[in-house]
């Protein structure tokens, strides 16, 4: 009897062992053995303003892209965004930042790669209605602007550089001055920096034209009782319906290599975000809440009063994969270099190919 029990026990163990072995081997000969991956941990950063809209749905729904993952979204001041992608151990696994900053800081492609462009310009030209100026187009731009003064926010940054590119592309000479009293000739456009849009963009401003960003543009026009007009779309003046590559999404190279599926899912969510923002049932308050909840207590650029569907549309939130927009981005950077005296470039290795 003991011998029989021993034989039966051995047989049972043998069958169990075979079942366990079968469960741990591929279903079919040649299939790879699937090893469960570790949960993804990712800190995502974006500057407040239009770039933050590119992550709005992801933040609103706290998208994690897989069970056990820890994705933390952070909206920070635009002036500090570069600190999260620089240093010996950059904090951001993924980050949205201006294209010129991405080129200057990360363009060699040794630490980060660009996944795609996410915003395509939210800059417009205003003028006092009393001046009676016609809307600016690519055909009348030179005639309308020569001899005029143009106040521009961030004149030394990407906004001002893009304005200079538009002027240069239209063969319009320009000169940067400190005060409108220096504007004395009628064969050049005079550019001045607007340091405080809140107080310096008014119907009574000394400039003929003022270049500003959403949501300030809509707020200023809407609150002027018809005294301020939107007379120009810098995106259309630069590149028709496509605008210009304003902000980009980057990710650490080693993070991409270790989490390719996560990165592809993240890109897909960025693409879907455009439709979510435009959907009728997506309320502006939900977008404001999503940004505010990840802003660390600071006051957001957008609020319930200034974020409308029109403003959202004017911010041109659209994801374009790096492989598809590489030529466009390089052309824009070349133009920035030409008007600034600086060097903006991206190595081929910086563009993620998917």
């Amino acid at each position: 009897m003991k011998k029989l029990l021993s034989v039966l026990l051995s047989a049972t163990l043998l069958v169990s062992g075979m079942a366990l072995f079968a469960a741990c081997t591929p279903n079919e000969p040649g299939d790879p053995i699937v090893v469960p991956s570790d949960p993804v941990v990712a800190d995502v950063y974006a500057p407040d303003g239009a770039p933050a809209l590119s992550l709005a749905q992801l933040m609103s729904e706290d998208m994690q892209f897989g069970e056990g993952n820890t994705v933390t979204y952070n909206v920070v001041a635009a002036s500090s965004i570069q600190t999260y992608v620089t240093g010996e151990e950059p904090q951001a696994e993924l980050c949205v930042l201006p294209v010129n900053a991405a080129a200057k800081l990360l363009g060699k492609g040794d630490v980060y790669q660009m996944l795609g462009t996410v915003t395509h310009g939210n800059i417009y030209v205003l003028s006092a209605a009393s001046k009676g100026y016609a809307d600016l187009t690519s055909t009348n731009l030179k005639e309308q602007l020569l001899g005029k003064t143009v106040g521009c926010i961030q004149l030394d940054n990407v906004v001002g550089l893009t304005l200079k590119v538009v002027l240069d592309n239209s063969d319009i000479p320009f000169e940067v001055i400190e005060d409108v009293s220096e504007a004395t000739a009628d064969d050049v456009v005079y550019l001045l920096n607007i340091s405080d849009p809140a107080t310096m963009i008014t119907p009574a401003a000394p400039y003929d034209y003022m270049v500003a960003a959403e949501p300030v543009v809509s707020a200023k026009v809407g609150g002027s009782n018809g005294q301020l007009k939107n007379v120009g779309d810098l995106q259309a003046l630069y590149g028709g319906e496509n605008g210009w590559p304003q902000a980009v999404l980057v990710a650490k190279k080693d993070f991409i290599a270790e989490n390719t599926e996560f990165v592809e899912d993240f890109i897909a969510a960025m693409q879907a975000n455009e439709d979510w923002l435009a959907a009728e049932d997506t309320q502006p308050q939900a977008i404001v809440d999503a940004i505010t909840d990840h802003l660390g207590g600071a006051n957001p650029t957008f609020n319930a009063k200034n974020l409308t569907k029109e403003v959202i549309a004017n911010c041109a939130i659209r994801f374009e994969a790096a492989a598809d927009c590489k030529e466009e981005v390089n052309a824009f950077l070349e133009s920035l270099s030409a008007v600034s005296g600086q060097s903006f470039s991206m190595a081929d290795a910086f563009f993620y190919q998917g």
Side-chain angles (χ1 to χ4, degrees):
M1 177 64 72
K2 290 183 178 179
K3 184 175 182 181
L4 177 60
L5 290 174
S6 176
V7 170
L8 290 174
L9 179 60
S10 298
T12 300
L13 292 173
L14 177 62
V15 172
S16 298
M18 292 177 64
L20 179 62
F21 177 77
C24 295
T25 56
N27 293 327
E28 297 293 339
D31 284 353
I33 297 175
V34 178
V35 179
S37 59
D38 293 331
V40 175
V41 178
D43 283 317
V44 184
Y45 287 85
D48 187 27
L53 293 179
S54 68
L55 292 168
Q57 184 182 15
L58 287 74
M59 293 189 294
S60 178
E61 300 178 13
D62 192 29
M63 294 186 183
Q64 297 295 303
F65 305 99
E67 186 177 353
N69 291 345
T70 303
V71 182
T72 305
Y73 299 96
N74 307 274
V75 180
V76 299
S79 59
S80 68
I81 191 64
Q82 68 184 42
T83 65
Y84 300 97
V85 293
T86 52
E88 292 186 5
E89 296 183 4
Q91 290 177 249
E93 275 70 47
L94 298 106
C95 185
V96 175
L97 72 166
V99 66
N100 59 320
K104 202 76 172 178
L105 301 171
L106 313 172
K108 292 181 180 179
D110 49 356
V111 179
Y112 284 86
Q113 283 187 304
M114 174 182 142
L115 302 181
T117 51
V118 299
T119 68
H120 301 265
N122 63 329
I123 311 301
Y124 296 85
V125 186
L126 306 180
S127 182
S130 60
K131 296 185 182 297
Y133 294 145
D135 289 350
L136 300 174
T137 67
S138 57
T139 55
N140 73 4
L141 193 63
K142 189 169 187 176
E143 175 188 356
Q144 292 291 317
L145 291 187
L146 284 178
K148 302 295 195 303
T149 56
V150 180
C152 180
I153 65 168
Q154 302 177 26
L155 185 59
D156 295 327
N157 238 314
V158 69
V159 176
L161 294 179
T162 304
L163 172 61
K164 293 174 182 178
V165 168
V166 169
L167 296 175
D168 193 56
N169 288 346
S170 298
D171 195 28
I172 302 174
F174 57 85
E175 180 181 334
V176 177
I177 59 176
E178 296 293 328
D179 189 84
V180 293
S181 62
E182 301 174 49
T184 57
D186 59 6
D187 59 351
V188 63
V189 179
Y190 293 98
L191 307 181
L192 303 95
N193 184 56
I194 293 179
S195 57
D196 184 7
T199 62
M200 299 173 71
I201 298 180
T202 70
Y207 324 108
D208 292 299
Y209 296 96
M210 291 155 280
V211 177
E214 287 286 21
V216 170
V217 169
S218 291
K220 288 290 185 178
V221 172
S224 71
N225 294 319
Q227 295 184 65
L228 271 180
K229 289 180 58 181
N230 185 340
V231 296
D233 180 335
L234 197 66
Q235 293 64 240
L237 293 171
Y238 172 83
E241 296 181 356
N242 291 328
W244 46 282
Q246 183 182 28
V248 301
L249 173 68
V250 302
K252 286 181 179 177
K253 288 181 68 175
D254 57 0
F255 181 83
I256 296 173
E258 295 168 5
N259 304 285
T260 303
E261 183 178 353
F262 173 92
V263 169
E264 291 296 333
D265 289 344
F266 196 94
I267 288 173
M270 295 285 281
Q271 292 170 328
N273 178 72
E274 177 187 352
D275 291 335
W276 183 81
L277 288 171
E280 290 186 9
D281 58 350
T282 301
Q283 299 301 313
Q285 186 63 57
I287 300 170
V288 171
D289 290 343
I291 294 173
T292 304
D293 289 346
H294 297 86
L295 194 51
N299 292 323
T301 297
F302 297 111
N303 55 56
K305 293 182 178 179
N306 66 24
L307 186 64
T308 64
K309 289 295 186 181
E310 181 182 3
V311 168
I312 293 170
N314 287 347
C315 287
I317 309 300
R318 185 177 70 255
F319 186 92
E320 291 185 2
D324 297 330
C325 64
K326 176 181 177 180
E327 184 176 338
E328 176 189 1
V329 169
N330 281 334
F332 181 65
L333 293 175
E334 185 176 345
S335 296
L336 290 186
S337 299
V339 299
S340 68
Q342 304 178 56
S343 177
F344 297 102
S345 63
M346 294 178 176
D348 287 345
F350 186 59
F351 293 88
Y352 174 67
Q353 297 301 307

